[in-house]
Amino acid sequence: MKTVKITRRKKVSSRVMYRVLYILPLAMLLYAFLTTNLSELSQGFQIILKSNDVLLTDYLAIAGVGPTLVNAALVLLINLWLIKKLDLKPNGIIIAALFLLAGFSFMGKNIFNIWPFYFGGFIYSRYHQIPYKNVVLINMFSTAFSPISSLIAGAMSDHLMLVIVMNAVVGGFIGFIMPTISAHILTLHSGYNLYNMGTAAGFVGMLVYSILDVSKVNIEANSLLLQENNPAVIIFFVLYSITLIILGWRINERSFKGYRDVMKHTGRLVTDVIKQDGFGLSIMNMGILGLLSIAFVLVVGGVMNGPTIAAVLAVMGFGSFGKHPKNTWPIVLGVCLGWVMFGIDKPISTLVMSALFGTTLAPVAGEFGTLWGIVAGMLHMAFVVNIGAMHGGLMLYNNGLSGGIVAAVLIPLIDAFKKEKKNET
């Protein structure tokens, strides 16, 4: 295994970190209220709350830009308040979780359908007599099951109290079991899949969907996606990425010194860039990944719709927890090669999402090199386009499930091709 020198950087206070993290939701709110009237915001927000949220639910397409930004901002603000209330100092995995929440608030998560999983985690913490701060991150990732909460609400829309009770029971149960399941799943892929919760949630999602399917419960997938780019949305995220780079540069003593050390990390779990290289270099890396991701979307002819923005923000968030340009580009290239070689007949958004979310396999490229990273990307492309049918869209982290299974199969294969060095006497 490669050894990486840990760069010691000037410590940054929690106050400064939180100030930086508040920029995104506050900017979203400002943009929404400056560009959309209150009536449109209210109507669009109601559409978001009433949607069934089964993959793929593009909030930008069904509700508009303003309401979607308000939803994402509120989800992010609530979670920022929660982790601050629990006295948690932002680190790599916390920022990754926050950005994943923000991203999927463009395509399936809202302030109504995420709460049952936190309730379940709280019960778990009380049952095992541990601080809730030890569980809250798992709850944040467990919101992958938000569509289940929305489906319950839709099926019982005339009985509000029954909706609340059923969500508390079903969502609470899922939130209760996920801490244990996610810990066990980690051994399946040996840390080479960054979206570990996606794999764990995927297996639970397959079980839930199978039960519903044999029970003759019909679940309809969504396919309405925004088809045209909104230049203002692109500019918004480009400016935000540049802002992170500038702030990171300032915090890092007005220099890019140490960034090469960031790109020496394999990315294998657990790689906390903040802890190892400093907050400045971490957000700088996030900004750079943001610009590269947006550029990729535009170069291949993609659209910055809800799912695509979710993918961009996921890449950025995990820029603090294992991803960097050097270990992500082989995965993206592999996915693109797989798209061409396998003749995938899907909308271009499928390629964009598979490539960007597929960087969950970045540790494969970081640990074993470019060639194996490309192979991982190709396998991911072949697998991810089929795996959604296994959980019926009830679980949002489709690529996390695919990445976990690909890593579980590929890593032993790589080991099989390794030649052991003979001990010299």
Side-chain angles (χ1 to χ4, degrees), residues 225-247:
L225 296 175
L226 191 69
Q227 298 298 323
E228 295 183 0
N229 271 312
N230 183 330
V233 172
I234 296 173
I235 292 171
F236 178 90
F237 285 103
V238 167
L239 289 177
Y240 177 64
S241 298
I242 292 173
T243 299
L244 288 181
I245 295 172
I246 293 173
L247 289 174

Side-chain angles (χ1 to χ4, degrees), residues 252-281:
N252 194 50
E253 300 173 347
R254 299 178 182 270
S255 77
F256 289 94
K257 184 179 179 181
Y259 191 60
R260 288 185 179 181
D261 293 328
V262 173
M263 291 197 289
K264 291 177 182 177
H265 297 305
T266 65
R268 184 180 178 186
L269 293 175
V270 175
T271 302
D272 191 328
V273 180
I274 293 177
K275 182 178 179 181
Q276 297 183 347
D277 302 286
F279 184 68
L281 286 169

Side-chain angles (χ1 to χ4, degrees), residues 107-140:
M107 59 166 293
K109 298 183 183 182
N110 58 61
I111 60 173
F112 172 77
N113 65 15
I114 62 174
W115 71 264
F117 311 102
Y118 294 83
F119 173 70
F122 180 77
I123 298 300
Y124 178 89
S125 69
R126 297 281 75 81
Y127 181 81
H128 290 279
Q129 297 182 342
I130 59 176
Y132 180 57
K133 66 169 62 178
N134 295 356
V135 182
V136 67
L137 275 175
I138 302 296
N139 295 161
M140 291 165 72

Side-chain angles (χ1 to χ4, degrees), residues 2 31 63 124 126 172 203 225 258 264 283 286 313 347 379 386:
K2 298 177 183 178
Y31 179 89
Y124 178 89
R126 297 281 75 81
F203 284 118
L225 296 175
K264 291 177 182 177
I283 61 173
M286 291 166 62
L313 289 175
L379 292 175
N386 296 301

Side-chain angles (χ1 to χ4, degrees), residues 395-413:
M395 191 277 303
L396 296 175
Y397 303 160
N398 197 49
N399 285 265
L401 174 58
S402 174
I405 296 175
V406 168
V409 174
L410 184 59
I411 300 308
L413 180 64

Side-chain angles (χ1 to χ4, degrees), residues 370-388:
T370 299
L371 180 59
W372 282 116
I374 293 173
V375 171
M378 294 177 67
L379 292 175
H380 180 72
M381 181 73 262
F383 198 53
V384 75
V385 293
N386 296 301
I387 203 169

Side-chain angles (χ1 to χ4, degrees), residues 301-353:
V303 176
M304 286 286 282
N305 51 36
T308 300
I309 292 172
V312 170
L313 289 175
V315 173
M316 293 177 68
F318 277 86
S320 67
F321 199 65
K323 294 183 184 181
H324 51 72
K326 189 176 179 180
N327 67 1
T328 52
W329 78 261
I331 307 298
V332 173
L333 177 59
V335 169
C336 292
L337 289 175
W339 176 270
V340 175
M341 291 180 62
F342 302 139
I344 306 295
D345 186 20
K346 298 280 186 179
I348 197 67
S349 289
T350 302
L351 169 63
V352 173
M353 286 185 287

